[in-house]
Amino acid sequence: MIREKRFKHIISSLKDTGTVTYSGMSADLEVSEDTIRRDIDYLHENGLLSKVRGGAISRDKTPLTFQDRADFQSTEKEVIAMKVQHLLKTGMSVFMDGGTTICAVAEYLPIDASLRIITNNMALVPLLARFRNIEVIVLGGKYDRITQTNTGAATCEEAAAFVVDLYLMGTCAISKEFGITSAIREDGAVKKAMLKGAKKVAVLSDSKKIGTNEPFIVCGLPEIKVLVTELPGDDPKLDDLRFNNLKII
């Protein structure tokens, strides 16, 4: 049976019963449990189910989904900020660029967080001052009072001196057709410079920006690994972005 038909059967079974097992799906579809495990891994990465020991459960059944735990959050940015936290590991070097969503991430960091953060986001700097174990490296350049970021050739040149474990990218727009796009040329140039030195890229985007485009291209979807949004993983608005080797959180 081709993979897409297996996906359809797994998701349909979840809608009916709320849970599936590797052994049960293996018997239903007459394929190996390893094949089902890979299918469930792939569907989990694309936000269509939640992988658990021995199989999977539907996203709306699990108490472990962020949406269930974060109903008290008042804004999209806060939901995204909380979701990002598990991507940050002790000792990481991290690019963080401009935007209020990036600032929200800083507000939810644990007080003992130990990171090296390289940023052009001047609004972020005072938020990080209370973290004794976070090294803050500020990229120079021309200060933009509107975006509260440093931009320009100097910013890009300084960013090019680093290799980081993770780039948390604030997003103006994301779409299937054009990938990540920026409303401001200089902002897009800084993003491109940070992309070159990042081992892994996580895009932070609220639902209003999904499916939209701005004038300046930053990168295509294949260049990013993770999309973090306030939406539950199975929201139809995310359908165009699925199956691009993009993990949706």
Side-chain angles (χ1 to χ4, degrees):
M1 179 181 289
I2 64 173
R3 187 173 67 162
E4 287 71 19
K5 288 187 177 181
R6 296 198 306 269
F7 289 170
K8 184 176 181 180
H9 181 79
I10 292 168
I11 292 169
S12 176
S13 296
L14 278 176
K15 288 180 179 177
D16 292 339
T17 65
T19 183
V20 296
T21 65
Y22 297 140
S23 58
M25 289 295 98
S26 173
D28 283 356
L29 298 172
E30 299 182 341
V31 295
S32 70
E33 289 191 25
D34 283 343
T35 296
I36 297 299
R37 185 176 289 104
R38 288 191 293 270
D39 289 346
I40 284 177
D41 284 346
Y42 192 63
L43 293 169
H44 172 80
E45 293 292 312
N46 282 276
L48 294 172
L49 51 74
S50 289
K51 184 173 62 174
V52 295
R53 186 184 179 100
I57 55 178
S58 61
R59 279 286 167 104
D60 60 354
K61 298 292 184 184
T62 173
L64 301 177
T65 61
F66 180 83
Q67 211 68 28
D68 291 335
R69 299 199 312 268
D71 287 343
F72 65 92
Q73 298 296 342
S74 60
T75 72
E76 295 91 344
K77 292 179 177 63
E78 289 173 323
V79 174
I80 292 169
M82 290 291 287
K83 286 186 174 184
V84 165
Q85 299 306 313
H86 86 278
L87 298 175
L88 298 167
K89 310 300 182 184
T90 296
M92 270 187 168
S93 293
V94 184
F95 274 141
M96 297 174 73
D97 61 13
T100 55
T101 303
I102 295 292
C103 289
V105 170
E107 291 175 344
Y108 281 89
L109 289 170
I111 196 63
D112 61 348
S114 180
L115 303 163
R116 174 183 293 115
I117 293 177
I118 303 102
T119 186
N120 66 323
N121 187 341
M122 300 307 292
L124 184 63
V125 176
L127 298 177
L128 296 174
R130 66 190 178 96
F131 297 97
R132 296 181 60 184
N133 297 322
I134 292 181
E135 177 186 356
V136 183
I137 299 175
V138 180
L139 302 175
K142 181 180 179 182
Y143 178 62
D144 185 323
R145 288 178 175 81
I146 296 175
T147 63
Q148 296 187 58
T149 60
N150 292 338
T151 61
T155 314
C156 296
E157 288 171 9
E158 292 185 23
F162 296 94
V163 174
V164 301
D165 301 294
L166 178 66
Y167 173 17
L168 296 180
M169 182 194 293
T171 308
C172 296
I174 178 171
S175 70
K176 178 181 179 181
E177 295 78 13
F178 298 104
I180 309 300
T181 51
S182 177
I184 302 171
R185 184 190 296 271
E186 293 78 7
D187 175 56
V190 172
K191 292 183 188 303
K192 288 181 178 180
M194 290 183 172
L195 274 165
K196 290 179 180 178
K199 297 177 183 177
K200 183 176 182 178
V201 181
V203 165
L204 282 51
S205 177
D206 66 57
S207 56
K208 299 181 187 69
K209 300 171 184 175
I210 294 172
T212 68
N213 303 294
E214 294 291 353
F216 303 105
I217 292 175
V218 175
C219 67
L221 292 181
E223 294 183 64
I224 62 178
K225 296 298 182 186
V226 182
L227 169 63
V228 188
T229 175
E230 86 280 6
L231 297 172
D234 57 356
D235 192 289
K237 192 165 187 177
L238 298 169
D239 287 349
D240 281 348
L241 302 177
R242 301 189 202 280
F243 311 120
N244 288 286
N245 293 319
L246 179 65
K247 181 175 182 179
I248 298 173
I249 299 176

